[in-house]
Amino acid sequence: QVQLVESGGGLVQAGGSLRLSCVASGRSFNVYAMGWFRQAPGKEREFVAAIAWNGGRTRYRDSVKGRFSISRDNAKNTAYLQMNDLKPEDTAVYSCACASRPGLVLDLENGGYYDYWGQGTQVTVSS
């Protein structure tokens, strides 16, 4: 069983920054990628950013490029999402996900590629 625990969410004014963290723990698992997804009230879950564990290739949704940055600490099985210049439309519950099998770069944007999910952390951006 793999557990993912997110932290770092909160309330921030537009233009502000937050840094989300996601720690993966459990027995006998391999991390091939970790991703961040978000879901706003009344909307479907959408891909935000992801990073491959080997090589560190990253993918971002267009609306966050240049503002968000994903990184990882392999030794700690931890992924980070640095979010700058936040906008009210970034308000959502942010969940991290972990893939325990290899995949293609395009798979990083697909929620079905991930095997484990965290509970989510609320990010609220006020105007």
Side-chain angles (χ1 to χ4, degrees), residues 35-59:
W36 288 95
F37 291 76
R38 67 187 182 188
Q39 187 167 20
K43 295 186 177 181
E44 293 187 354
R45 184 182 66 193
E46 62 184 20
F47 166 76
V48 178
I51 186 166
W53 232 235
N54 293 323
R57 284 178 294 182
T58 58
R59 303 284 291 188

Side-chain angles (χ1 to χ4, degrees), residues 8-14 16-18 20 41 83 86-94 121-127:
L11 172 64
V12 65
Q13 289 187 333
S17 299
L18 286 172
L20 305 183
M83 305 185 295
L86 282 160
K87 305 177 185 300
E89 52 264 40
D90 295 318
T91 295
V93 174
Y94 284 69
T121 184
Q122 177 70 44
V123 171
T124 303
V125 184
S126 64
S127 57

Side-chain angles (χ1 to χ4, degrees), residues 51-88:
I51 186 166
W53 232 235
N54 293 323
R57 284 178 294 182
T58 58
R59 303 284 291 188
Y60 296 92
R61 70 178 298 104
D62 287 345
S63 62
V64 307
K65 287 179 180 178
R67 301 188 297 123
F68 291 12
S69 178
I70 189 170
S71 59
R72 88 254 191 239
D73 184 328
N74 296 46
K76 297 180 179 180
N77 281 338
T78 300
Y80 305 96
L81 184 67
Q82 178 66 43
M83 305 185 295
N84 299 326
D85 190 23
L86 282 160
K87 305 177 185 300

